Structures are given as C-alpha cells and as structure tokens.
Amino acid sequence: MKRLMTILLLAVWVSLPGLAQHEHQPRPSPTEAPPIYWVLVAIAVIAIVWFMLWALYGKMRPSRMTTTSYHALGALVIIMTLFTLVLYIIPAQQAQELPPTARAWDWKPGEVLQDPTGSGLSGEPYRGYLVYLANGCIYCHTLYLRPEDIKTGWAEGARPDEVSQIGDFVRYPFTMLGTQRDGPDLTVIGRKIPDMQYQIDHLVDPRRFKPQSVMPSYRYLSERELRDLAAYLVSLGNDPQKLRAGVAPAPAPEDPKIAKGKELYRSLGCVACHTIDGSRSTGPSFKGLFGDEVEVTLPDGTTAQVTVDEIYLKEAILQPGEKIVKGFPNIMPSFAERVTESDLEALLEYIKSLR
Amino acid sequence: MQETEKQAIKLWFFSSLFWLALGPLIGALMSLQFLWPDALNFLADLNFAYSKARIFHTNLVIYGWIAMSFVAAILYIIPKLCAVELQHAKITYWAGWLWNFSVALNLALIWAGIVSNPLLSIQPYEYAEAPLLVDLLIVVAVVMVIFSVHRTVLARKKPHLYVSVWYLLGGLYTTAITYLVGNFLTLAFTGLGNQIIHAWWLHNAVGMFITPLGVGIAYYFIPIAAQQPIYSHRLSILGFWTLMAFYPGTGLHHFLQMPMPTWIGEFAVIGSVLLIIPVLAVVVNHLATPAQNWRRVFDSFPLRFSVFGTVYYLLTCIQGTFQATHAVNWFIHFTEWVQAHAHLALAGAFTCYGIAAMIYIFPRVTGRRLYSRTLLSWVFWIMAVIFPLFYLAFTHSGLVTAVSINLMNHTIYETISAVWLARLFRTLMGAGVVLGFLLFGYLLMRSLQVGPKFEEGMSEVVESAPASAQGRVTA
Ligand code: HEM
C-alpha cells in the first residue's frame, strides 16, 4: 500500500511540467522530432516502468551475480550515458546545418570593421569575440534574446523582430549564450551604440558613464584587444553587409558648435542611452526630438504634454528627474556638474540638427 | 594499509584542503564587486578582473576541492569494501601531483587570458574553461585514477559489490565520458549545435561526476558511522539505475529559452522532473539508515555532516525539479537564484559529504584524532546556521532581481541598487562560511601536531580536552 502511494505521488509530481504548460515558449512543437526519437522514448519508458516494478516487487537474488554480469551492467551504465548523448547530437547536428538568417553574425578571422561613426578606428570583430571569451564577459552578459525579454526589462530597446533564432548563430565557431545576467544582454548592443570609441571608454571605466554600474574596469587590455573587442560589440545586431560597405565618413558638420556637440554626445556618454537614428534605447532617441510633442510625468505624479524647446532640453539635461518622459525609467544622471554653459549650447545645437 | 596507499590518500586529501581554503575565499573577495566595484579596480593593475576571479572560484571549488576530496575518499573506500590493498597506489600518488599541477596551470592560463591559441586559450564552456593543454593533463590523471581503482575492484576478495562501489566506479567512468564531451566533443560543433553539446556537459558535470561520487561516498559513511545496515537494498538499486537513466539527458534545462527544437528541451524538462525518483530513493535510504540509531547522529561527526549533507541534497533537488519547469524557469533564469541553487548543492550538500569523509578518514590515515570537539562543533554550526542564511541571501537577491525585471519592467541597471542590501548580506554570510572552512583546515592541520593517537574503535574526535592540546580547548 505504502509503495503504491509513493508511486502515485511520484506520478503527480512527474505530471507537473505538463500542467504548467509553457505559454512562454512560442516556438515550434515537439512534433519536429524524428520518428526514431519516439521509438527510443517508448522503449525507454517501457524499460523504466518495468525496471521500477521489478525493483519494488521483484525477487532479489544477488547471489547469482557473476563477474560477467557485473561487466555487463557496467557496460549498461556507459551505454545509457551515451544514449542521451546521441539524443543531444541529433538536434546539435540539425542546428548547425540550418541556413543562416539574413542578420546572422558573419565575420571571418582577420576581417576588419571600420567604426560606423567615421572616427577612423577599426578592429577585428572575430578576434574581439575571442577577447570576449578570454576575459569572461560571459559571466555577466548573455548573447541571446528570448521572446520573454521583449515585454520585460531584460533588454531595453530591443525589438520583437530581434528575438534570437537558431540561424543567427550558425557562423559562430562556438557560442557563448551565457546563463547569467548581471549586466544587460548584448545581442543588439551594436545597433544601439554603434560607436567604437564609446565602447572602449566604457570598457576602460564603466562608472564614468553609469555611476551605479558594477561592471569591472578592463583597462588592463591592450590597445589592440580593446579595439577588437569594441569592433565585436559594434558588430552585434548590425547587418554585416552594411557594416562592411562602411560609411562614407560623415560630412564634418559645418557648424563648429554642432561638431563640438557631437563630440560631447559621445564623450559624456549620452550615446549609451540615446540613439540618433530614431530607435528606442534606454532613453528616447534624439532624432526629430526638437519641436516634438512629448508626454511627461511630473514629480507630483501628474502627466503633461510639452513641446520640446531649448528650455525643456536644458532642464532635461540639468535636472532630468523633473520631467520624466512617459514609458522610460528615471535613471538619467544629472549633468549639471559636468557641463559648462558652452557645452550645453553645443549639445542643444547638435540635438536640434538631428532632424 | 600499505605506506604508498596512505601516501596517495594523504596527497589528495591535503591538496583538497588547500584548495578548499583558497576557492571560497576568492568567492568572498569577488562578491565585493557587487557592493563596492571601485574597491576592486586595483585588480586591473594585476591584469585581473571579477570575471576572471569567478572562473578561478568555480574551477577551484570543483576541481580543487570537490574532485580531490572525493578522490581521496574513493581511494580509502574502495580498498576497504573490496578487502584488498589499493592496486598501483604509486600511480594514484603521481596522478595527485599531476592533478594539482593541472589545477595550478589552469589558474595561470586563466589569468594570462591568452587570445586565440588552440592549446592555451580558455574554452567557452562553464566549468570546462580549462584550456586544452590542461584538459589533456586532467584526462591523463583521471585515467590513472580509474586504472588503479578498477584494478582494485577486479582484485577484490569479496564477490559482491556494495552499492558504494557501483556509484564510485560507475561515477568515475561517467566522469571521464562527461569530461571528454565537455572539453573535446564540443570542438566538433559550431553555432547553436555547440551550445547544445555544451548543455549536455554543463549538467552532467554535476549529475554524472559530482552526484554519483558524492552519493557513493555518503552510502559508505552513513551506515558505517551509524553502525546500522543500509535501510533498503532495493532502494539503492532503484536509485542507482534511475539516476543513470534520467540524469544524463537533462542538460538543456540550463538553456530552456534558447532557440532550439522544442522536443529536446521537453526531453530535458521531463528528465529533470523524473530525477526526483532517484533523489528520493537515495534520501530515504540515507535518512532511514541512521533513524534506527538516532543518538549516533549527535555523537558521530561524520554522521552528523553526512545527514546534514543529505538534507541539503534533498532541498537542492526539490528546488531543481521545481525550477526546471518552463513556468518557473523563465522567471528565475539569469538571476542569482540559480547561483543560490548551485551553492546549496556544492557548498552545502557535497561539501558536507566531503567534510564528513575527511573527518572519518583523517585519523585512519594519519593515526591522529582531531584534537578539538569545540572547533569542529563550530564548523558544524556554521554549516548548519550561517550557510542557510548565505543561501537565503543569494536567493533573496535573485528573487528581487526577477520581480524587478520580469514584473516591474525595470532594467538591470536600475535593479543594481535594489539588490545591494541582499548582496551585502550575502557577502557577510559568505565570509562566515569561508571562516568555517578556514577553521576546518586549521583544525586538521593542528591535529597533525597535537592530536592524540588514534586506534580503531575510538571516535574520530576527542571527547574532552586532552593534555596535549595545551589546554586550548574545553569540551
Ligand atoms: C565549497 C564551497 C563552494 C562551492 C562548491 C561553490 C560553487 C560555485 C559555483 C558552481 C558557482 C557558479 C554557479 C553558476 O553559475 O551556475 C559559484 C559562483 C559564486 N560563488 Fe561560490 N561556491 C562555494 C563557496 C562560496 C562562498 C563561501 C562564497 C562567498 C561569498 C561564494 C561566492 C560566490 C559568488 C559571488 C559567485 C558568483 C555569483 C554571481 O555570478 O553572481 N562561493 N560558486
């Protein structure tokens, strides 16, 4: 009776994953498995049930064990282990043979990437990938986006169409998806911050841009390693073909003020949170910002519509906590201590120029 | 016991003690990264960083402490159960030096961070970061140990194999297979195929290497320390074979939401939940055996630690089957909840087994008893009280992260300040645990000098303050 109860209890426990059906797994179903898989599963299930019944109710005659039967059972242990290995090798084989997606990462050893901001910096993304490995970035950062990450706070600024697919990875010699996130996912970091100089500065001193950051300083990396690593980061989330084609060096802005503003945008780290191509990141994009209508939350919790003018922009930079753009967190640091009046002018001119 | 055999056991034994003192200490140090990151900036001057320290930490506790203490215990247990001397003891002795050398070389190469050298660069597989050169050395050392242990089993005087021999010998072979897959077979796959094989390794490092060896060791020390026959022979058979059947396929539960064919993930989840069967079989057997003679749990330290280890093992595995289901997994994945689980298993359950084995073996290979009951009680109470708090702090920090990011849509950057306090508590409690390990190391080293002579039949630990302990200790 006790034994039967135990078996029943176990059966309930085992059916739990079935009950907790996975609404969070919007991917193809188990019917993909090759038929041989189902045959193997059926055999395994029958063997397990039979074995458990035997172990619980069967006759035990250990005296009949001989050295040969011990060897046979020892071989069985190894066979069971290898059996599951084969089950893993089947999908592994399938996965590495899938066709690449259009945006699949695709950089060969030795290939050089030019900084898309036109700064003249360059590096080898493939080698950067190896630098990433050698320095253990994988223990705080992941390199894949789950469907779950889009609605939640895991991957700020990532778009639903950027959820990772098998084909995205086929050209990687090995993968470093990662199991832990103590920092943000980096799958699309290059699309968000396509600026090698910023990436290098951030690696050397992360808290210069993000005061709360717990990321270690990697200032010990050699110049070349930093450049390669930055090139790798910039290659993430960007179409390799476009990056290869390179950018016509952006026409140097006529106005020296705008040029200075552009430089400040990078060196102060605005680039970490604001894009200039209209896409969302940690903060709103600067593109077309000036003159736009935005909805903001005031400190007392009420909301208001404001038009973006110079006064608003100044306030947004000096006292960012005063008006919070709706849909964004209140994490922008105040730059009141760090910018002079003329810096501020330059930044405003630059933002205004981004139509 | 021959001298060479003792020598081999001692080498593995004391090396593991050394790494036990070092590995967790590095863990405590690197946990400061999450509290005062700038305080660790000086590491950059040494070409070092938190992320490298973390590889140090995991490699040291797994290959330095867990593996070496387990091998020391195996070298003691197997000859006893087979009633013969350890065969080729010299080989295991040299394997011990080779192993130590590999661990040290591994650290040096991780530190060097060499880029794109096929032999000297670290590999991208968690717990298998060791560069290929180190892998080759470790493979040689493992083969040497297996050779000697298997020869001992073949030379046995008793026809039957006790369940520990099943676990230990089987476990050594599955360890070898797993290690080869994790470090060598992975090289044959690219893209996500590589990640799938990596997943197979990742969980089997735990399931086919640490678990069978640890459980096998507990299967030996629990009945012998409790002076009771094992509760159920049937359960031990059931436990062994279901472990071998369900464990190896579960690896993908570490990457459940990565893009992959669902069926193989489903296979891993079902296997993970089924794992509760071998776990319950083992746990019932381990707890019901001393239940007949419950007083012994208070008297015998090896038994106390083993029983505690078993309790932690049960908790780990209940947590494990729970978090392997999709509904839970997506929520806690990527957070420190997982590290909490890892520590409950390795630093809790298997470290307790390791400590139990060491207390039992120490007098029998060195001829001296542990000189202080008080100190050992301190170690025990640290593992029984501070360690759970350490675990809770880790879990707390993981849960706050999960809620903040999954439910409140905060970014990781915003969450850093929310978990600061939990991480402070983690460091404090972790420092307590490290202190416990250091105390344990001190106790053993000091007993080498002042421990009274041991003879079979005595308890491993002195009952009251002996004269030779220079009056340091009170009972
Ligand atoms: C024998 C004892 C220990 C063992 C076997 C052990 C094992 C491990 C393992 C396996 C991991 C990686 C988990 C994963 O990524 O899945 C880890 C990470 C870690 N351990 Fe330990 N550990 C031990 C003791 C300690 C102690 C005493 C501390 C003290 C604070 C500590 C602090 C850490 C930290 C901070 C991490 C990194 C967690 C993160 O990335 O946030 N460990 N340990």
Side-chain angles (χ1 to χ4, degrees), chain A residues 104-305:
Chain A
W105 191 83
D106 183 17
W107 293 87
K108 311 224 159 25
E111 209 175 335
V112 172
L113 178 151
Q114 299 289 338
D115 186 1
T117 61
S119 67
L121 282 171
S122 64
E124 295 171 25
Y126 186 94
R127 193 163 178 280
Y129 187 59
L130 302 177
V131 176
Y132 185 94
L133 160 67
N135 290 284
C137 311
I138 183 185
Y139 298 104
C140 289
H141 293 292
T142 57
L143 284 176
Y144 71 117
L145 280 171
R146 311 176 293 172
E148 289 87 346
D149 295 338
I150 302 300
K151 306 181 288 276
T152 58
W154 282 117
E156 57 222 44
R159 297 188 300 249
D161 63 298
E162 284 169 331
V163 167
S164 299
Q165 295 166 18
I166 300 182
D168 295 352
F169 299 92
V170 283
R171 297 215 186 88
Y172 273 114
F174 51 83
T175 44
M176 290 189 276
L177 297 193
T179 54
Q180 189 174 5
R181 287 181 183 161
D182 284 329
D185 181 84
L186 299 180
T187 307
V188 292
I189 193 71
R191 172 178 67 65
K192 275 164 50 187
I193 316 180
D195 184 324
M196 278 177 62
Q197 187 61 50
Y198 168 78
Q199 295 293 3
I200 291 176
D201 291 348
H202 177 266
L203 284 168
V204 168
D205 183 6
R207 277 166 290 287
R208 174 171 150 206
F209 303 105
K210 311 273 183 82
Q212 309 280 329
S213 177
V214 294
M215 176 157 152
S217 159
Y218 286 97
R219 59 166 191 248
Y220 65 81
L221 293 177
S222 73
E223 186 119 343
R224 169 160 184 226
E225 284 173 335
L226 280 171
R227 266 190 283 114
D228 291 342
L229 186 51
Y232 173 62
L233 293 171
V234 167
S235 77
L236 289 169
N238 282 322
D239 184 345
Q241 292 316 323
K242 282 200 191 125
L243 284 183
R244 271 198 200 100
V247 267
E254 317 274 292
D255 187 341
K257 251 193 186 162
I258 297 183
K260 182 177 173 203
K262 188 178 172 202
E263 176 50 29
L264 285 169
Y265 164 73
R266 191 196 61 68
S267 63
L268 288 172
C270 316
V271 57
C273 304
H274 298 282
T275 66
I276 50 170
D277 64 356
S279 62
R280 187 196 157 100
S281 180
T282 312
S285 177
F286 285 164
K287 184 170 181 179
L289 179 60
F290 193 77
D292 205 9
E293 288 265 310
V294 290
E295 204 182 346
V296 295
T297 312
L298 303 171
D300 59 9
T302 54
T303 55
Q305 288 286 102

Side-chain angles (χ1 to χ4, degrees), chain B residues 8-234:
Chain B
I9 298 179
K10 275 191 213 159
L11 175 66
W12 286 87
F13 188 103
F14 288 104
S15 317
S16 76
L17 205 59
F18 174 71
W19 299 123
L20 173 66
L22 192 60
L25 196 63
I26 293 181
L29 176 75
M30 76 199 201
S31 68
L32 297 177
Q33 178 76 35
F34 297 95
L35 300 172
W36 299 283
D38 279 325
L40 290 188
N41 273 351
F42 75 93
L43 289 178
D45 297 330
L46 307 168
N47 262 353
F48 206 63
Y50 160 84
S51 43
K52 288 186 182 176
R54 192 174 182 284
I55 315 181
F56 266 40
H57 173 67
T58 54
N59 278 264
L60 277 182
V61 294
I62 292 179
Y63 296 105
W65 156 242
I66 300 268
M68 293 203 83
S69 65
F70 281 8
V71 170
I74 291 172
L75 296 183
Y76 176 83
I77 294 173
I78 295 280
K80 280 278 176 303
L81 285 176
C82 297
V84 289
E85 292 184 332
L86 183 67
Q87 310 288 303
H88 310 283
K90 264 257 145 355
I91 291 189
T92 47
Y93 176 77
W94 287 111
W97 280 116
L98 185 58
W99 190 282
N100 274 325
F101 174 72
S102 319
V103 173
L105 180 67
N106 189 12
L107 297 191
L109 289 176
I110 293 167
W111 193 326
I114 297 165
V115 177
S116 106
N117 180 312
L119 272 185
L120 302 179
S121 297
I122 64 172
Q123 299 197 59
Y125 314 111
E126 204 168 355
Y127 313 145
E129 288 93 351
L132 267 185
L133 178 64
V134 176
D135 289 337
L136 292 171
L137 297 181
I138 287 190
V139 168
V140 174
V142 172
V143 168
M144 285 158 86
V145 171
I146 292 184
F147 173 72
S148 156
V149 170
H150 204 157
R151 290 293 297 242
T152 309
V153 174
L154 287 179
R156 71 186 180 278
K157 299 263 162 56
K158 299 178 173 175
H160 298 305
L161 298 182
Y162 174 63
V163 53
S164 279
V165 184
W166 280 95
Y167 273 107
L168 297 181
L169 195 59
L172 281 178
Y173 275 102
T174 49
T175 300
I177 297 179
T178 312
Y179 199 81
L180 291 175
V181 171
N183 291 282
F184 298 96
L185 186 68
T186 39
L187 299 175
F189 290 85
T190 60
L192 271 195
N194 179 274
Q195 197 75 34
I196 291 174
I197 303 297
H198 173 186
W200 195 90
W201 145 261
L202 190 57
H203 203 71
N204 289 342
V206 187
M208 298 272 87
F209 156 31
I210 297 172
T211 300
L213 299 186
V215 167
I217 288 167
Y219 255 118
Y220 178 77
F221 288 116
I222 287 183
I224 213 163
Q227 300 166 341
Q228 289 292 318
I230 194 83
Y231 169 73
S232 159
H233 182 54
R234 277 173 195 278

